[in-house]
């Protein structure tokens, strides 16, 4: 397929999936959404879907060998962005045709800015869970990792903690399992590389939690 033809197809997908004014990285979103829909065609009853932002998108596949994984992480996505991607007609149709057995949802890191509403983030997280549960997929919510403010000026550690607290309470009220993959390494100095994205130790903890799910 020629490059010009491929770009034409992406333009069509963009119009079908996500309005341009919702996300600033529509090219990335378009490619990721098309890939997720395609990968969903190959999964079976024992599959696991990873739903979230770059912290899931960047999980290397090799530590997860042996698992049937569909990685639906979107770099830069907020909880609302993730919901929009899962609720898009292309992905939702693919999900209904081949629903995964389970889905791990980890969202909120990109919402952890000063002034953000943790309850609103938790409510959007529950909306993602509800959408997945409506097609028969078991939803499991993972806590977001701690923000290391000394490494970044773009996120708030206290807001991230409040998002986790709100998500935990929301999960309790909705009967959704809540797991903190990072509990053993919270307070250490090597959780992230840049204040947000996971260092090796945290990635290993996340992988272990995914495998346990």
């Amino acid at each position: 397929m020629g490059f010009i033809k491929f770009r034409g197809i992406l333009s069509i997908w963009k119009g079908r999936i996500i309005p341009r004014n919702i996300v600033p990285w529509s090219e990335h979103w378009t490619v990721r959404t098309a890939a997720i829909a395609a990968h969903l065609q190959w999964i079976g009853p024992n599959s696991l879907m990873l739903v979230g932002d770059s912290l899931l998108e960047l999980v290397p596949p090799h530590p997860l060998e042996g698992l049937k994984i569909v990685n639906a992480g979107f770099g830069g996505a907020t909880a609302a962005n993730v919901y929009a991607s899962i609720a898009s007609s292309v992905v939702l149709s693919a999900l209904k045709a081949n629903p995964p057995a389970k889905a791990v949802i980890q969202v909120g890191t990109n919402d952890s800015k000063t002034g953000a509403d943790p309850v609103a983030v938790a409510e959007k997280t529950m909306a993602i869970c509800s959408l997945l549960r409506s097609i028969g997929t078991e939803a499991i919510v993972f806590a977001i990792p701690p923000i290391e403010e000394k490494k970044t000026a773009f996120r708030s550690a206290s807001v991230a903690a409040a998002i986790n607290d709100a998500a935990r309470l929301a999960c309790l009220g909705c009967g959704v399992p809540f797991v903190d993959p990072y509990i053993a390494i919270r307070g250490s100095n090597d959780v992230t590389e840049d204040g947000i994205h996971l260092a090796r130790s945290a990635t290993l903890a996340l992988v272990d939690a995914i495998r346990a799910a």
Side-chain angles (χ1 to χ4, degrees):
M1 180 185 296
F3 177 72
I4 295 176
K5 184 177 181 181
F6 179 70
R7 289 200 60 167
I9 292 174
L10 287 185
S11 295
I12 294 172
W13 275 79
K14 278 192 287 187
R16 293 173 57 193
I17 299 170
I18 300 294
R20 289 179 183 271
N21 63 350
I22 291 183
V23 290
W25 63 101
S26 58
E27 291 286 355
H28 177 57
W29 194 315
T30 300
V31 172
R32 288 293 295 150
T33 304
I36 291 163
H39 293 169
L40 281 166
Q41 297 180 29
W42 295 93
I43 65 174
N46 296 319
S47 60
L48 176 66
M49 189 174 184
L50 305 181
V51 180
D53 52 36
S54 62
L55 301 186
L56 290 180
E57 184 180 1
L58 295 175
V59 172
H62 304 297
L64 296 173
E65 287 180 354
L67 300 180
K68 300 176 72 173
I69 297 289
V70 172
N71 191 321
F74 282 98
T78 63
N81 295 152
V82 173
Y83 176 82
S85 71
I86 298 301
S88 68
S89 59
V90 173
V91 173
L92 189 57
S93 294
L95 280 167
K96 289 179 178 179
N98 293 283
K102 295 181 180 180
V104 165
I105 299 101
Q106 182 180 269
V107 297
T109 292
N110 289 312
D111 296 278
S112 60
K113 302 175 182 179
T114 301
D117 182 353
V119 173
V121 176
E123 289 175 349
K124 190 60 68 173
T125 303
M126 291 302 100
I128 297 169
C129 293
S130 178
L131 190 154
L132 290 165
R133 293 169 91 180
S134 72
I135 62 169
T137 297
E138 179 186 348
I140 304 166
V141 172
F142 278 12
I144 60 174
I147 300 297
E148 296 181 297
E149 290 185 347
K150 64 183 180 181
K151 298 180 182 179
T152 179
F154 303 106
R155 298 289 185 271
S156 165
S158 61
V159 174
I163 287 172
N164 280 334
D165 290 341
R168 184 182 294 106
L169 287 174
C171 285
L172 181 63
C174 294
V176 176
F178 182 87
V179 176
D180 186 351
Y182 315 103
I183 191 169
I185 56 176
R186 290 188 183 275
S188 67
N189 296 318
D190 60 350
V191 179
T192 72
E193 296 286 355
D194 57 4
I196 300 170
H197 295 100
L198 302 180
R200 178 178 173 81
S201 60
T203 300
L204 291 174
L206 175 58
V207 167
D208 287 344
I210 292 171
R211 299 193 70 90

